[in-house]
Amino acid sequence: MILVGLTGGIGSGKSTVSQMLADRGAIIIDGDAIARALQRSGTAVFAAMVERFGDVVGADGELDRSKIASLVFSDAQALADLNKIVHPAIGVEMLRRISELRDTDAIAILDFPLLAESPRKGLSGVIVVDVDPAIALERVVRDRGMQASDVQARIDKQASRKDRLAIADRVLDNSGTKDDLVRQVDQAWEWIATLPKAEADAGETG
């Protein structure tokens, strides 16, 4: 298995790149999707979050993610408590999925927004999707309808652009057109095929 970490800040286009890599044959291990699954009603993570944060369940019986976001991005202790509940469970599930692929010839992408904050051992390489934070903010406000102040608060809580670039083996610049990004993803796909197999401890924290 070749295992490549993929990360980028909010509004960078990381999810778009992840889908492009999937279209080229990669198996995606999506940290955000895992988090959403682990937070569904009836799970241990769901119960722990309701116990900690109180009235955060929507009319559909599931967590109101926007309400939780508004709580944690303005309160450092609340964010730390959320991370203590969610991150260990995400890590266990990511490692389980990685272990299923370890002895295969798969190209797997560990799509993980917090890769700079929580580095993973043994990866074959790391791709960072990069864009100027001002452009990212503008895109999120336009595409998701969020308030600029809320987007900025999330950017401020994430790893800095400098910190993300410091872990990159390859950088995709998403400040241009979609055609520009497609060309870079094609080149990255060729590069991925040349990478060494992931190490035995790939995906573990470290």
Side-chain angles (χ1 to χ4, degrees), residues 94-108:
M94 285 196 308
L95 283 175
R96 186 190 70 78
R97 296 189 187 192
I98 290 168
S99 69
E100 289 181 344
L101 299 170
R102 195 176 305 281
D103 296 327
T104 73
D105 293 326
I107 292 177

Side-chain angles (χ1 to χ4, degrees), residues 8 17 20-21 23 35 42 50-51 53 57 73 79 82 90 97 108 116 118 123-124 128 131 136-137 166 180 185 195:
V17 170
M20 289 179 177
L21 292 170
D23 292 343
V50 172
E51 180 179 357
F53 297 107
V57 180
F73 285 108
L79 180 60
L82 175 66
I90 293 173
R97 296 189 187 192
S118 180
L123 301 178
S124 305
V128 171
V131 69
L137 189 151
D180 292 334
V185 170
L195 294 176

Side-chain angles (χ1 to χ4, degrees), residues 84-190:
K84 287 178 185 176
I85 294 169
V86 176
H87 287 180
I90 293 173
V92 168
E93 179 60 16
M94 285 196 308
L95 283 175
R96 186 190 70 78
R97 296 189 187 192
I98 290 168
S99 69
E100 289 181 344
L101 299 170
R102 195 176 305 281
D103 296 327
T104 73
D105 293 326
I107 292 177
I109 303 296
L110 182 60
D111 180 343
F112 190 43
L114 301 178
L115 198 57
E117 296 93 328
S118 180
R120 301 283 151 169
K121 295 179 181 177
L123 301 178
S124 305
V126 173
I127 295 173
V128 171
V129 186
D130 180 56
V131 69
D132 184 283
I135 296 175
L137 189 151
E138 179 183 322
R139 287 176 177 171
V140 175
V141 169
R142 180 193 68 208
D143 298 339
R144 304 189 198 177
M146 294 175 62
Q147 295 295 318
S149 57
D150 292 339
V151 180
Q152 188 62 55
R154 296 196 185 198
I155 290 173
D156 292 343
K157 294 293 184 183
Q158 293 180 335
S160 69
R161 185 183 189 187
K162 179 180 178 182
D163 288 343
R164 275 194 299 271
L165 291 173
I167 68 167
D169 295 305
R170 194 173 188 96
V171 177
L172 304 186
D173 176 7
N174 192 22
S175 59
T177 66
K178 186 173 182 179
D179 286 343
D180 292 334
L181 186 60
V182 168
R183 175 180 51 79
Q184 293 179 75
V185 170
D186 284 337
Q187 293 171 346
W189 185 246
E190 293 178 2

Side-chain angles (χ1 to χ4, degrees), residues 40-52:
R40 287 182 185 141
S41 176
T43 65
V45 170
F46 175 93
M49 289 177 68
V50 172
E51 180 179 357
R52 167 60 180 86

